Amino acid sequence: MKKQEQYVDNWIREQTGLGSALTAENLRAWQQERVREAEIYAAEHAAFYRDRKEALLSPEPGQHFFITAEDIRRRPEDFLCVSPKEIARIITIPTSGSTGRPKRIFFTEEDLMATADFFTPGMAYMTEPGQLVTVFMEGEQVYSIGGLLRIALERREISTRVHGFVHDLKEAEQAAQGADCLVGVPGQMALLAEAAPKLRPKTVLLSGDYVPQSVVRRLESIWECEVFQHWGMTETGYGGGVECGAHCGYHLRDADLMIEIIHPETGESVPNGTWGEVVFSAFARKGMPLLHYRTGDIGRFCPDACGCGGVLPRLDKVMGRIENTIFLHNGDAISIHQLDEVLFALDGVHDYAAKLKQNPEATLSLTIEGDADPDMITEFIHKKWSGLEIRVNSGIVERKRKRSIVREK
């Protein structure tokens, strides 16, 4: 694979018009101008921003304007800047728990095609013209992830087979046959690798969930492939950032999004290389521009230069979500991402589900799909969380796009 190509940087040079003048400083100045234009546009067209116009456009010294997922859940229609007739797709994101309101995100056709525009250079790091890509993500609609990837890849004369999420391993194996690149959720791709070790994709792109390094190593070992990672969410319009062949962080969708890292408590920007909460402004969005949106993701900008020679800041590997961290009564903390790193590093763990109960002692109940030794699982978990009582059972795990530790009362 061509590790030195700067596909995303070149795309940003073209989209911004900065050309050879593209630097981190010039890009940030350009983005700040676009964000200001988007703030004015949103304050004129969307009820949410109009009601907060002064705080948005003229914040008091020391004050910061942010929006959160809860703002969207309350009245998503208040973020609309266009007529409902112009909306091409509405995506409903369920809330963890049974009573929380779902988030509804609105996109125009122009908004969605902008995602395909980013996918084209992003996928160039791991594909070449004439190849076949199998997508194990949603794809029934033209504006789904699979549909947008198909549009993006066709521009480079690459064929796309959209299978959908993995529910049946035999069917998934058949869909993966002959593919040069596989795109899917980390846990499902790890499961497919265990079930179909003779597949030989040249590359794999992992997206849609936290990516444990243990899964990356497992795929590289079993399939003898190169593994790439993507960061994004529905709120960013799916696309957010992607690794190049140097694997030194995510090259960002800077022509459409301005990414910032803030201190979760103060809201102040943190120095480059410091961990904090990822915030983005989707300044190019026409239907539902999300400005200064707190993602809840834990991330930072990479402190070192990328091996590809790119000049722009890159987002380091996102280390999970603030909300998915459970604080134990003894002062420890546990998250699904930490469990991924421990469990997927063990032989015989193909997938798992986790439940945690604190009453008051903390009990972690695991359903393990695979033939891993329960005593070994308990031993490895106790190395990191010595105060947990562990219960391990074998069973089939329900396939989900995103996993979390279920909290039991």
Side-chain angles (χ1 to χ4, degrees):
M1 197 55 56
K2 300 175 181 178
K3 296 183 182 296
Q4 300 305 315
E5 293 289 347
Q6 298 173 19
Y7 294 109
V8 169
D9 280 20
N10 290 338
W11 173 75
I12 293 169
R13 287 186 178 93
E14 180 179 344
Q15 294 295 308
T16 61
L18 290 172
S20 60
L22 181 67
T23 64
E25 294 75 17
N26 289 345
L27 174 66
R28 183 48 56 116
W30 181 89
Q31 289 177 325
Q32 289 171 338
E33 290 179 4
R34 302 292 85 74
V35 169
R36 190 56 166 179
E37 292 169 357
E39 290 172 342
I40 295 171
Y41 167 78
E44 291 177 352
H45 295 89
F48 179 90
Y49 295 110
R50 185 166 55 247
D51 293 344
R52 298 159 178 81
K53 184 174 182 179
E54 186 174 345
L56 174 66
L57 299 180
S58 304
E60 295 290 333
Q63 297 297 310
H64 305 280
F65 180 91
F66 296 111
I67 61 175
T68 67
E70 187 57 34
D71 293 325
I72 299 173
R73 291 189 190 102
R74 287 194 194 101
R75 289 189 60 83
E77 296 83 1
D78 285 356
F79 287 85
L80 273 178
C81 287
V82 299
S83 165
K85 294 180 180 180
E86 297 181 57
I87 296 301
R89 190 175 188 201
I90 304 172
I91 302 175
T92 300
I93 308 171
T95 303
S96 57
S98 57
T99 59
R101 295 178 181 178
K103 284 182 290 185
R104 302 180 74 207
I105 311 296
F106 299 81
F107 297 97
T108 65
E109 180 179 6
E110 181 182 353
D111 296 334
L112 293 162
M113 292 307 295
T115 295
D117 291 343
F118 171 70
F119 282 168
T120 298
M123 291 298 295
Y125 292 116
M126 64 212 72
T127 59
E128 296 178 357
Q131 290 187 333
L132 170 64
V133 176
T134 297
V135 180
F136 292 100
M137 303 186 80
E138 59 149 359
E140 294 182 2
Q141 302 181 30
V142 64
Y143 295 132
S144 64
I145 295 175
L148 293 171
L149 278 170
R150 188 192 302 277
I151 292 171
L153 290 166
E154 283 178 350
R155 296 170 180 172
R156 299 185 61 243
E157 299 182 350
I158 296 170
S159 300
T160 309
R161 179 189 295 153
V162 182
H163 174 78
F165 292 113
V166 176
H167 298 289
D168 183 286
L169 287 170
K170 288 294 184 183
E171 292 180 359
E173 180 180 0
Q174 184 175 358
Q177 291 289 345
D180 300 284
C181 175
L182 305 181
V183 179
V185 178
Q188 294 192 353
M189 291 300 93
L191 195 62
L192 181 59
E194 295 286 349
K198 293 184 180 180
L199 290 174
R200 283 296 177 268
K202 296 180 177 66
T203 59
V204 174
L205 176 64
L206 300 178
S207 186
D209 204 349
Y210 174 79
V211 181
Q213 279 304 113
S214 53
V215 169
V216 173
R217 290 191 295 268
R218 183 180 298 183
L219 296 179
E220 290 173 339
S221 174
I222 295 175
W223 282 340
E224 301 176 7
C225 62
E226 185 174 7
V227 178
F228 293 79
Q229 301 180 39
H230 171 268
W231 170 80
M233 55 183 63
T234 304
E235 292 92 324
T236 64
Y238 300 131
V242 65
E243 283 187 325
C244 70
H247 303 286
C248 296
Y250 306 112
H251 290 269
L252 295 167
R253 186 181 171 182
D254 287 319
D256 299 325
L257 306 171
M258 185 173 79
I259 308 295
E260 302 172 272
I261 308 296
I262 66 167
H263 191 287
E265 295 180 2
T266 67
E268 297 286 345
S269 296
V270 300
N272 280 355
T274 301
W275 294 97
E277 182 177 359
V278 180
V279 172
F280 75 82
S281 293
F283 54 79
R285 194 87 55 79
K286 297 302 180 184
M288 187 182 188
L290 299 181
L291 303 173
H292 313 289
Y293 180 76
R294 298 185 66 152
T295 66
D297 280 347
I298 302 169
R300 68 171 183 172
F301 287 118
C302 295
D304 301 319
C306 185
C308 74
V311 299
L312 301 179
R314 301 165 334 281
L315 187 65
D316 206 342
K317 180 176 179 176
V318 171
M319 296 306 293
R321 296 187 58 75
I322 296 171
E323 66 184 20
N324 287 342
T325 300
I326 300 175
F327 294 93
L328 306 177
H329 294 330
N330 65 358
D332 286 341
I334 186 171
S335 72
I336 192 70
H337 312 303
Q338 292 171 312
L339 272 178
D340 282 350
E341 296 290 3
V342 173
L343 293 176
F344 283 130
L346 302 177
D347 291 335
V349 176
H350 301 162
D351 203 355
Y352 75 93
K355 296 180 180 181
L356 182 72
K357 183 176 182 179
Q358 297 194 81
N359 192 27
E361 294 79 12
T363 300
L364 180 68
S365 300
L366 298 171
T367 300
I368 301 294
E369 186 168 326
D371 56 2
D373 180 8
D375 291 336
M376 179 182 65
I377 291 172
T378 300
E379 178 185 348
F380 272 75
I381 291 178
H382 275 158
K383 288 180 180 179
K384 190 170 184 66
W385 299 283
S386 59
L388 282 177
E389 180 182 344
I390 311 296
R391 297 176 182 175
V392 181
N393 296 296
S394 298
I396 302 299
V397 175
E398 180 184 359
R399 310 282 178 246
K400 294 183 179 180
R401 178 182 171 184
K402 286 186 178 291
R403 295 174 301 106
S404 63
I405 301 174
V406 176
R407 309 183 197 204
E408 292 188 317
K409 294 183 179 180

